[in-house]
Amino acid sequence: MDTMYWKDNTLFLLDQTKLPIEVTYVKLKTYEEVAEAIVSMKVRGAPAIGAAAAYGMVLGVMGFRNDQNLDNYLRNVYETLKNTRPTAVNLFWALDRMWKKYLEVKNQNFEEIAKALLNEAKSIFYEDIELNKKIGAYGLEVVPENASILTHCNAGALATAGYGTALGVVRAAFAAGKLKRVFADETRPLLQGARLTAFELLEDGIDVTLICDNMAGYVMSLGLVDLVVVGADRVTANGDVANKIGTYSLAILAKEHGIPFYVAAPYSTIDLNLNSGKDIPIEERNPDEVRKIGDRLIAPSKVKVFNPAFDVTPAKYITGIITDRGIVRPPYRENIKKLFGGN
Ligand SMILES: CSC[C@H]1O[C@H](OP(=O)(O)O)[C@H](O)[C@@H]1O
């Protein structure tokens, strides 16, 4: 199923907060609705929120009224979408690409501007699928025969325009007959692993075993994991990686057990403007996401909560970064610059 699709000047978005119980699409016709969908995580995953925001810019243009200044109006649309979530750089990469396209065509007539932005949003969406397939192909190199792969959160088709990054490597390994099984961390508090990764892999007929996050170390100690592959929300110039909360702990555990730890990410997740992981803004979300599961309270309603949605894994714990341009290995600063310096 598609994470999203465009039809009749409407963005149809798979509502991921309803998965795996319900497969339903919401119809979005305004940029404000797209912004709300990103904040509430109806759509989530770095490349997916970038693509959704790109379509949000198109809906913004389509909502323009002649009594306004288009530049100012569209800048407000851009800022509204930009301010939805702070960590995944793909959001800003996609919005900047849409703004650049707007500057290129702004002197054309309104219909041509809208058409050019729609084409750019579609390019961002469909390019991401191709990037993920390249990631999968490169990732095959690090997957041993009969591999058991552990992953965290959801870096699959549901986090992207399709195919997935970490799950792109899983899909490529499955297609090549190299995959034995996947262990999927449930990924508290919003359970992207339990709700989304388990769902996605079962849909594809891939052997997936769900574990609680706190079981990963024990599973590794039993010798059941050959490698760990996770996604990313931002990779900085020195190879530090922001990803779903719990990734850092997983990287430490993998190091302790001598298990290769790979990050899978497209070029649109590489942020050369940030020197290291210390510079990455970490989103803190609603405390009730921790106090509750769904609508059910599982802690005292007045208990204090700290709810960072991401953490940063230092480059020294990362065996390699699997990208659409190849596998980046240490020394990261030098090798990331070599592959991505020209963007
Ligand atoms: C392919 S990037 C997926 C990335 O995004 C997830 O975060 P969220 O579900 O909060 O958007 C998680 O960090 C995944 O690894």
Side-chain angles (χ1 to χ4, degrees):
M1 73 201 59
D2 296 320
T3 312
M4 66 191 82
Y5 62 92
W6 180 269
K7 188 179 170 204
D8 302 333
N9 292 338
T10 303
L11 179 62
F12 291 78
L13 199 66
L14 176 62
D15 182 349
Q16 297 193 32
T17 63
K18 298 286 195 306
L19 289 174
I21 312 301
E22 277 179 63
V23 177
T24 53
Y25 286 82
V26 288
K27 295 180 187 173
L28 308 183
K29 294 190 80 70
T30 69
Y31 73 94
E32 294 96 335
E33 288 172 332
V34 174
E36 189 283 329
I38 294 171
V39 170
S40 63
M41 295 177 66
K42 291 184 178 71
V43 59
R44 34 63 54 196
I49 63 178
Y55 281 120
M57 287 287 281
V58 180
L59 290 170
V61 165
M62 291 178 172
F64 176 68
R65 294 294 169 266
N66 285 327
D67 58 349
Q68 302 169 60
N69 171 294
L70 183 55
D71 265 19
N72 295 341
Y73 167 81
L74 205 55
R75 174 54 68 178
N76 177 56
V77 172
Y78 172 97
E79 292 297 335
T80 302
L81 293 162
K82 182 182 176 201
N83 291 331
T84 50
R85 296 185 74 188
T87 304
V89 70
N90 309 62
L91 173 62
F92 316 118
W93 169 84
L95 287 170
D96 288 346
R97 189 164 145 179
M98 294 299 287
W99 188 258
K100 183 167 176 279
K101 177 55 71 177
Y102 168 64
L103 295 179
E104 284 172 16
V105 300
K106 62 183 280 188
N107 296 321
Q108 296 178 19
N109 69 48
F110 184 74
E111 284 65 36
E112 284 162 343
I113 292 171
K115 187 173 175 209
L117 289 185
L118 177 56
N119 287 338
E120 190 68 5
K122 287 180 176 177
S123 299
I124 288 171
F125 182 83
Y126 290 107
E127 174 194 293
D128 185 56
I129 299 172
E130 295 315 307
L131 296 175
N132 295 337
K133 288 181 177 172
K134 288 178 180 172
I135 290 170
Y138 280 118
L140 266 184
E141 176 190 316
V142 305
V143 179
E145 291 300 331
N146 202 32
S148 292
I149 297 176
L150 187 145
T151 192
H152 191 69
C153 197
N154 172 260
L158 293 170
T160 64
Y163 198 73
T165 56
L167 295 194
V169 175
V170 164
R171 287 189 162 98
F174 178 64
K178 295 180 84 175
L179 184 72
K180 178 182 178 185
R181 68 193 299 186
V182 173
F183 284 103
D185 279 355
E186 64 174 354
T187 316
R188 280 272 292 153
L190 292 181
L191 305 173
Q192 287 92 324
R195 295 188 303 107
L196 307 178
T197 295
F199 175 76
E200 253 195 69
L201 295 183
L202 283 174
E203 286 279 300
D204 280 14
I206 293 175
D207 183 323
V208 54
T209 301
L210 179 63
I211 59 173
C212 298
D213 302 326
N214 55 12
M215 297 174 185
Y218 179 59
V219 171
M220 289 181 190
S221 73
L222 295 176
L224 297 178
V225 177
D226 298 308
L227 76 157
V228 178
V229 185
V230 297
D233 293 84
R234 199 177 301 213
V235 180
T236 56
N238 72 335
D240 291 347
V241 170
N243 196 52
K244 183 52 49 195
I245 188 74
T247 303
Y248 171 52
S249 316
L250 214 48
I252 302 277
L253 284 167
K255 189 94 177 174
E256 173 61 24
H257 291 89
I259 297 170
F261 183 92
Y262 285 94
V263 171
Y267 79 94
S268 47
T269 308
I270 311 283
D271 185 356
L272 291 177
N273 296 320
L274 295 189
N275 182 54
S276 79
K278 293 182 181 58
D279 306 317
I280 302 174
I282 299 296
E283 177 185 12
E284 287 188 35
R285 291 184 61 88
N286 184 325
D288 270 349
E289 291 179 357
V290 177
R291 295 192 191 104
K292 296 180 175 179
I293 290 188
D295 295 329
R296 185 163 171 270
L297 203 59
I298 57 164
S301 59
K302 295 193 181 338
V303 69
K304 281 190 282 189
V305 167
F306 176 45
N307 184 20
F310 301 97
D311 59 23
V312 176
T313 300
K316 67 181 180 182
Y317 294 110
I318 300 170
T319 310
I321 304 172
I322 306 167
T323 79
D324 52 286
R325 300 180 189 176
I327 299 178
V328 185
R329 295 186 186 280
Y332 284 118
R333 189 178 294 281
E334 177 188 333
N335 290 332
I336 286 174
K337 189 166 173 49
K338 230 182 262 174
L339 258 189
F340 301 95
N343 288 334

